[in-house]
Amino acid sequence: MDFSLTDEQTTLVELADQILGDRCTLERLKEVGAGERRTDVELWRELARADLVGAALPADVGGGGFGFLEACLLLEQVGRHVAPVPYWATVVLGGLTIAEHGAGALRQELLAGAVAGEVILSAALQEELADPRSPATIARPEGAGWRLNGEKILVPSAPDAAVIVVPARADAGVGLFLVEPGSSGVSLVAEETMGQWPLYRLVFEGVAVEPERVLVTPGGEGQRALERLVDLATVGLCAISAGVCERGLRITAEYASERKQFDRPIATFQAVGQRLADAFIDTEAVRLTMLNAASLLDAGLPASKEVATAKFWASDGASRVAHALLHVHGGISIDVDYPIHRYFLWAKQIENDLGASTVQLQRLGDLIATEP
């Protein structure tokens, strides 16, 4: 498969790199990280003004009309600069799902707002001890609408989201519902996580969902819609991980070339060079498996095995890279304010989100057994 970028894709990547590189200084990252929202709202609006937020969303809502592959290329830049912006939540979790299954004025309102940087979207995919593809949250019909009961964890940007896509199970099968975080019966609790991202635990207690906010009715296409949403979310994380590994490794290589012991740069020591070489190979595997899965999903082709393979590398391989970054830096890496530590935290956060390496190997084994 040819992963060469087109001229349009190159322009998107270079523009994102320029804006994020200028704005994501260490001082700014520390300032945003110390705030309650942990989101750089000013940077988010600047990305929207540059038409980057809506680049992957449909042209009929004001977007650029690109697709999921371009969203992953931009997420890679978010990872390279560890940028605290809700691109994964708004575009991948919420935007692309609403674009595919939404309709009418609500779809137009939400997506046009997202393109303008005025609306944040999200999805609640993870539950404790439950496969994201088989939610335990319950949906029961009530009149023309539904009521939801259940609990979700690690929901990104939940308080800031206009709506959250919530998968839930009914007797007829899985459905997707749009829930406002301020709805009666919804409670939110901030979670302290490795990556210091704005993640929340959501509890749904008899939350009413009106018919116009049912994105995919339980049964029928519900399971397929959820499978695709989880696939997009998983590969989106892999794209962030690819950027984290690439930039973190570059910073570490520069450090090893300048830091001296016994009057020699430590990069000239065999053990350091081999560690960096191993990290480079892992980084290449994270990026190439991500691009392979993203290209297939973008084309609407089957990609279950490729998604599991990409997430395995974003968990197992990226974890080795993250530890190499710290070990080569030595004692200075323990300082949480030192730049490289932030890359370590992001890589470890992504390692476990939506299933770590063992979960991916189990899924891959099941797929191979059923689809030899």
Side-chain angles (χ1 to χ4, degrees):
M1 187 173 286
D2 182 6
F3 295 133
S4 301
L5 302 187
T6 65
D7 291 343
E8 291 82 3
Q9 290 170 338
T10 300
T11 300
L12 281 177
V13 168
E14 290 179 348
L15 180 58
D17 183 40
Q18 178 183 343
I19 294 174
L20 295 173
D22 289 344
R23 296 297 300 271
C24 292
T25 62
L26 178 60
E27 291 72 21
R28 181 59 179 165
L29 293 176
K30 290 167 63 175
E31 179 184 351
V32 173
E36 184 177 351
R37 297 178 69 179
R38 294 182 176 178
T39 298
D40 193 334
V41 177
E42 294 177 14
L43 174 57
W44 183 242
R45 289 172 179 161
E46 185 171 345
L47 292 173
R49 287 193 295 271
D51 295 329
L52 291 173
V53 173
L57 296 177
D60 66 348
V61 296
F66 289 100
F68 179 63
L69 178 58
E70 285 74 17
C72 286
L73 295 176
L74 294 176
L75 282 170
E76 196 176 355
Q77 294 305 311
V78 170
R80 287 187 78 248
H81 297 282
V82 288
V85 292
Y87 190 91
W88 179 63
T90 297
V91 175
V92 176
L93 300 189
L96 294 178
T97 304
I98 293 171
E100 183 172 350
H101 302 288
L106 183 60
R107 175 183 182 274
Q108 182 71 25
E109 176 188 346
L110 292 174
L111 296 185
V115 169
E118 297 170 352
V119 168
I120 291 175
L121 306 168
S122 187
L125 297 180
Q126 302 191 74
E127 301 176 354
E128 288 187 357
L129 305 177
D131 184 341
R133 301 169 195 272
S134 182
T137 297
I138 299 298
R140 299 192 185 285
E142 183 175 280
W146 297 79
R147 281 198 181 272
L148 306 184
N149 287 280
E151 188 168 336
K152 303 282 187 178
I153 62 173
L154 302 175
V155 182
S157 303
D160 295 329
V163 295
I164 300 169
V165 178
V166 180
R169 179 173 300 281
D171 290 342
V174 173
L176 300 182
F177 304 86
L178 295 179
V179 176
E180 296 180 16
S183 298
S184 177
V186 178
S187 57
L188 296 81
V189 178
E191 296 185 291
E192 289 296 328
T193 60
M194 177 71 77
Q196 301 177 347
W197 296 355
L199 298 172
Y200 294 80
R201 177 183 294 267
L202 268 63
V203 177
F204 304 94
E205 295 180 300
V207 177
V209 181
E210 300 300 321
E212 61 271 17
R213 292 183 178 262
V214 178
L215 201 57
V216 181
T217 304
E221 289 295 305
Q223 186 62 44
R224 188 199 65 79
L226 176 58
E227 295 272 354
R228 179 164 175 79
L229 171 54
V230 175
D231 282 348
L232 296 179
T234 302
V235 178
L237 285 177
C238 297
I240 300 174
S241 180
V244 168
C245 290
E246 189 276 332
R247 180 62 178 154
L249 183 57
R250 188 176 297 274
I251 293 171
T252 304
E254 292 171 356
Y255 175 82
S257 298
E258 297 171 357
R259 176 81 166 91
K260 292 184 177 179
Q261 284 287 342
F262 308 109
D263 293 328
R264 291 172 50 193
I266 62 173
T268 62
F269 297 149
Q270 185 179 35
V272 173
Q274 289 178 340
R275 191 74 186 273
L276 293 177
D278 287 342
F280 175 79
I281 292 171
D282 278 330
T283 298
E284 286 293 284
V286 172
R287 185 167 193 269
L288 293 174
T289 54
M290 177 276 291
L291 287 173
N292 188 34
S295 298
L296 292 173
L297 290 173
D298 187 62
L301 297 173
S304 298
K305 294 173 188 172
E306 289 77 8
V307 171
T309 302
K311 187 56 171 62
F312 168 79
W313 279 103
S315 296
D316 193 68
S319 179
R320 282 194 297 273
V321 174
H323 284 94
L325 305 183
L326 294 196
H327 293 166
V328 172
H329 272 84
I332 196 172
S333 68
I334 297 174
D335 184 351
V336 295
D337 285 335
Y338 192 73
I340 205 63
H341 203 86
R342 197 177 301 274
Y343 287 83
F344 175 80
L345 295 178
W346 275 46
K348 298 300 287 183
Q349 176 73 47
I350 294 170
E351 174 186 350
N352 295 295
D353 271 4
L354 294 173
S357 57
T358 300
V359 172
Q360 303 308 322
L361 289 178
Q362 290 173 335
R363 176 168 170 74
L364 194 54
D366 291 342
L367 290 168
I368 292 171
T370 56
E371 304 170 12

